[in-house]
Each structure stands twice: as structure tokens, then as C-alpha cells.
Amino acid sequence: MKIAFDVDVIRDLGITKMVHQVADWGYKYIEQSPHPQINPFYKHPKASREIITEYKNALRATGVEISSYIVVYRWSGPDEARRQAAVRNWKRMIEIAVETGVQVINTELSGNPNEPEICEEMFYRSMEELLPIVEREGIRIEIQSHPWDFCENSNETADIVKSFRSENVKYLYSAPHTFFYDKGKGDVKPMLEYAGADLSHVLIADTMNHTKHCRYIVNPPGVDATIHQHVAVGKGEVDFPTLFQTLRDMKFAEQTFKVGGDPIIAAALFGYPEEMNVEAVATRELIERELLRK
């Protein structure tokens, strides 16, 4: 199992300092979330020769590796022109992953929950074009549902993943999205078990249950249906004892996938960079204690 750190919270440090900071916190792997110089949100990947050279030099100097890239594109529409642009973005990102020796790209369903049928059709259209490429290049695509995607339900997203019957397509469970996954119940065990052997990636961060009264205060009420957090474990309401016990019962850390190798678990802490020197280390130690113990 690869324990990674999502570098979104420190992306402003610059490539070299970012990599060295992850190493200083004791992580061996970086989850490279959208970065304006590499894989920006929605836009065409940048990743110039200079940036990739700098990145590789920093990795070599620290012994850190990239476990995975995160990309977020409008590949499920509902606008067809944007979908086609997203597929072009995907193709370039696959080339960058191959160039840098990274076998895992994780992503979101995207789309619009108000047009789920159209967006699902466009998603499958995109996958029809992309799946032969990722299978040829030996890339593992991991799919999660994000709040405000065309599908927010965990089990339904797992069904979409399973529908491809491909070793190159797996499922990602994001703990801070738990209360969107089952409409506020937060029952992590059955959702993880439902994903089963297709679960290859877990994101670790906490959040409050947005369905409970006044957990978040927005004015006027109800204007932000996707509000959630990515805070340190224990600062929210996700049932982490059950989550970790379920992952142990599933022997998540002991798996090896035919494509992309080891499963990944990543600290995905956003919003409080001033607390990362403590929280990044504490999260890594928690994961090691809960999932690597004998």
C-alpha cells in the first residue's frame, strides 16, 4: 500500500520546495492534485519540459515518488464541445503519466446532478474513446463521485466502475464525501464493502455531516448544496474507527492490482496550511498505525 500526500494545500511553494516538504513530513509518495503548471483544473495540461525536469530532479533528490495524478475535466458534459476538449486533455495527461512513469490517474465523474441522464451518456461516450488508450498504456483510472457530480451516490458510482469489467478502471472512496455518498447516513462499512475488490484508493480527511441542522451556516440557507470540508481526522463526524476496521477486514493494504500495482491511501487535507506541519505528520502516523499494524 502506498501512503501519499495530496499536495494541493502546499502547491504555492513551487515544485522543488513542495516535494521536499512532503519528504520532510515522512511521506514516500505524492498525490499530484491539479496544479497550474502541471495538470490545472479543467484546462489542458501544461507540464513543460522545464517543470518536468525540475520535478524529476526533486524526486531524485528526496527519494519521493508520484503515486498518482488527479485530473478534473468536464468529460461528462453536459456541453459536447467541453466534453471533446476534456477528452483531448485526458489524452495529453495520459502521455504525461507515461513520460513520468506514473501508472495511476484518479478523477471525478463531474457533470451536473440536474442532468444525470445526459451526463452519464456523455461520460460513457468519453470512456469509449479513452479506455482503449489507458489499456494500451497500462494506466489505472480510479473514479470517485464528488459533491455536485452527475452521480453523488457511492454504490451507484461503484456500479458505473464495475460496468466496464476492466482491470484498468477502479473505484476511489473519498472519506470527506461520505455524507454525500449515502444522503447523510455516513454508514461507511456497507459502502466500502459494496465497492469490494474494485476499491483501489481511499482519501483520508474528515468533514461535518452537512445534512444535520446548522453544521454549516450559510446565508441564505441552502444556497450551497455541496458544502463540505477536508479537515484533520477527529475534527468532523466521519466514522473513522469503522472505516479503518473495514479496510483491515477487506485486507485493503495487502492487495496488489494487475494494473498500477499497490492500492493508495492519501491524506487529502485542505484549507489549513498553517496546521500542516502537525496534521500531515499525524495523518500519516494514523494511517500507518491503523493499516500497517501486524
Side-chain angles (χ1 to χ4, degrees):
M1 182 183 71
K2 297 177 179 180
I3 302 175
F5 185 81
D6 183 330
V7 291
D8 182 81
V9 72
I10 56 170
R11 65 182 179 181
D12 293 336
L13 291 179
I15 299 298
T16 299
K17 288 184 178 180
M18 179 183 77
V19 175
H20 280 264
Q21 181 64 84
V22 171
D24 289 346
W25 287 334
Y27 288 84
K28 185 180 178 182
Y29 295 98
I30 284 175
E31 176 130 281
Q32 184 54 68
S33 47
H35 188 287
Q37 293 179 293
I38 303 170
N39 52 333
F41 279 103
Y42 305 116
K43 298 179 180 179
H44 195 272
K46 301 305 185 284
S48 67
R49 290 189 183 95
E50 293 82 1
I51 287 295
I52 293 302
T53 297
E54 180 183 357
Y55 209 147
K56 287 182 176 179
N57 288 341
L59 294 173
R60 192 177 302 113
T62 57
V64 172
E65 302 174 35
I66 302 173
S67 65
S68 41
Y69 289 110
I70 302 175
V71 301
V72 182
Y73 301 133
R74 303 188 194 281
W75 64 327
S76 55
D79 180 85
E80 174 60 14
R82 300 282 70 74
R83 188 200 69 80
Q84 291 180 21
V87 170
R88 290 193 294 270
N89 295 346
W90 257 108
K91 290 178 179 178
R92 176 60 184 138
M93 198 62 223
I94 292 168
E95 292 174 351
I96 293 167
V98 172
E99 176 190 359
T100 53
V102 178
Q103 291 186 284
V104 177
I105 303 175
N106 75 70
T107 191
E108 301 167 3
L109 287 174
S110 295
N112 185 326
N114 296 315
E115 300 180 86
E117 184 177 343
I118 293 173
C119 290
E120 182 174 300
E121 291 169 357
M122 289 194 167
F123 166 78
Y124 276 103
R125 187 183 303 171
S126 296
M127 281 297 289
E128 284 176 5
E129 189 169 348
L130 291 170
L131 187 54
I133 299 173
V134 301
E135 289 180 336
R136 183 187 71 221
E137 299 293 351
I139 298 293
R140 184 170 87 211
I141 289 182
E142 301 170 326
I143 297 173
Q144 64 161 305
S145 60
H146 190 279
W148 202 249
D149 283 359
F150 74 80
C151 171
E152 296 178 331
N153 179 271
S154 180
N155 289 0
E156 186 177 346
T157 302
D159 285 339
I160 291 172
V161 167
K162 293 171 184 290
S163 73
F164 293 101
R165 303 184 182 185
S166 173
E167 296 295 335
N168 297 75
V169 184
K170 296 298 178 182
Y171 179 71
L172 183 153
Y173 186 94
S174 179
H177 302 160
T178 289
F179 299 109
F180 285 88
Y181 285 165
D182 63 356
K183 297 184 178 180
K185 291 185 289 185
D187 199 355
V188 296
K189 179 179 171 66
M191 290 189 284
L192 292 168
E193 291 178 339
Y194 190 87
D198 290 288
L199 177 68
S200 64
H201 200 134
V202 177
L203 303 185
I204 298 297
D206 214 337
T207 190
M208 304 297 286
N209 186 345
H210 66 285
T211 68
K212 301 296 185 182
H213 184 60
C214 286
R215 288 297 196 270
Y216 300 98
I217 298 174
V218 293
N219 190 14
V223 296
D224 192 348
T226 64
I227 192 167
H228 66 290
Q229 297 170 298
H230 283 243
V231 294
V233 173
K235 290 188 174 181
E237 298 176 284
V238 176
D239 183 0
F240 279 101
T242 299
L243 183 146
F244 284 124
Q245 182 61 55
T246 304
L247 292 177
R248 288 195 296 270
D249 292 344
M250 295 172 65
K251 301 187 183 303
F252 175 79
E254 302 169 27
Q255 299 177 90
T256 300
F257 294 91
K258 291 182 180 179
V259 179
D262 293 344
I264 299 168
I265 188 162
L269 308 172
F270 308 149
Y272 294 92
E274 68 276 12
E275 298 179 7
M276 282 305 106
N277 282 331
V278 173
E279 292 182 351
V281 174
T283 303
R284 174 183 55 77
E285 292 176 344
L286 173 66
I287 294 168
E288 292 170 345
R289 186 165 62 249
E290 292 290 339
L291 295 182
L292 297 182
R293 65 188 188 187
K294 300 300 182 181

